[in-house]
Amino acid sequence: MIGVYGGTFDPIHFGHLRTALEVKEVFGLEQMRLIPCALPAHKTSPDTAPEKRLAMLALAIQNQQGLMIDRRELDRTGVSYMVDTLQSIRNEIADQSLLLVMGTDAFHSITSWHRWKNLFDYAHIVVMTRPNAGPSLSPPLSGWLNAKSTQNKKDLANKPAGCLFFQPVTQLDISATAIREIIATNKNPNYLLPNKVIDYIKQHKLYTCHKN
Ligand code: ATP
């Protein structure tokens, strides 16, 4: 079983890392692949060069078995559509189970993703929720997505793709936007992201310019 965790990771922080690790352990994944996005479809492009975001990712997951980087979105041109990413991974892994992991914020905009229904052709979707929060589907979605939804983890192991699952995870209210703002205003980002990443940010003078 393989997990896919996409993001801009500008920079990677403990909100990403803790949830990636928890989902990896809950499902017993062989790999949790962190996939940095080149050209996001739904937000402005990150100012930080891909190689720097990659370097921070590498520092963050050093020695963490099972967490790995997949750089395929950086190696292709054009908008980084997740459906293309999943399709290309699917071509490499035959019928192994594939989990696309995302936060509830990402899930709430899923119907605006390019060819969003086709995501389920290639992977299951695991939505990371707050503990005790039930599945939250807005009405227009609920019919189609309800049919995909399962409460049985085994369904995700038994089929390569096609299910929707809500997995409670520890909530850390950390965002990359807030971290960039903290650094731009000369405040201290300690305890929000790994020290090695903070050192890298300082060394390369990242996020020093205040942006809105
Ligand atoms: P930004 O603030 O720049 O928009 P971000 O911190 O939200 O960035 P992204 O790199 O866009 O991080 O992360 C993408 C994925 O990580 C999404 O699926 C998102 O839901 C999830 N994610 C981000 N922060 C957290 C967090 N604190 N806890 C759980 N999941 C998170």
Side-chain angles (χ1 to χ4, degrees):
M1 226 178 186
I2 295 172
V4 161
Y5 196 126
T8 44
F9 303 119
D10 187 23
I12 179 120
H13 54 67
F14 286 138
H16 302 126
L17 289 161
R18 180 66 216 167
T19 51
L21 180 61
E22 286 187 19
V23 173
K24 177 189 165 287
E25 292 193 327
V26 164
F27 289 94
L29 303 181
E30 286 142 52
Q31 300 173 353
M32 174 60 98
R33 300 189 187 190
L34 303 175
I35 308 197
C37 175
L39 205 55
H42 296 291
K43 25 185 193 179
T44 48
S45 293
D47 285 335
T48 314
E51 296 305 324
K52 293 200 166 102
R53 289 185 286 123
L54 262 180
M56 292 189 279
L57 268 174
L59 288 168
I61 63 171
Q62 246 176 17
N63 306 323
Q64 183 56 63
Q65 221 198 345
L67 295 190
M68 54 178 278
I69 298 170
D70 182 322
R71 56 169 295 152
R72 76 188 62 219
E73 292 190 355
L74 302 180
D75 292 338
R76 63 174 199 249
T77 54
V79 178
S80 307
Y81 291 122
M82 183 51 80
V83 70
D84 297 334
T85 302
L86 295 181
Q87 186 173 10
S88 95
I89 295 174
R90 172 56 66 202
N91 288 338
E92 295 166 7
I93 64 167
D95 60 357
Q96 279 189 74
S97 176
L98 186 63
L99 308 187
L100 170 62
V101 176
M102 66 181 74
T104 44
D105 55 338
F107 180 65
H108 282 136
S109 66
I110 190 129
T111 54
S112 67
W113 290 26
H114 183 57
R115 293 173 52 214
W116 70 274
K117 288 187 177 176
N118 294 116
L119 296 168
F120 289 95
D121 296 338
Y122 307 115
H124 303 294
I125 293 186
V126 173
V127 184
M128 303 179 291
T129 63
R130 289 182 180 279
N132 308 319
S136 69
L137 300 177
S138 48
L141 282 183
S142 49
W144 198 88
L145 282 172
N146 261 337
K148 304 272 174 204
S149 180
T150 178
Q151 294 181 15
N152 186 354
K153 272 197 190 70
K154 285 192 186 143
D155 289 341
L156 278 66
N158 292 338
K159 293 199 285 179
C163 298
L164 172 65
F165 189 86
F166 293 86
Q167 176 60 48
V169 293
T170 302
Q171 298 295 309
L172 297 172
D173 190 7
I174 300 173
S175 74
T177 304
I179 291 172
R180 294 194 299 272
E181 174 77 15
I182 284 169
I183 295 168
T185 52
N186 276 319
K187 298 199 187 89
N188 190 335
N190 281 359
Y191 315 127
L192 296 172
L193 66 173
N195 287 338
K196 283 183 179 172
V197 178
I198 295 177
D199 291 343
Y200 184 93
I201 290 170
K202 284 184 185 151
Q203 197 186 338
H204 294 266
K205 301 187 170 55
L206 301 182
Y207 314 123
T208 50
C209 172
H210 190 97
K211 279 191 83 182
N212 281 316

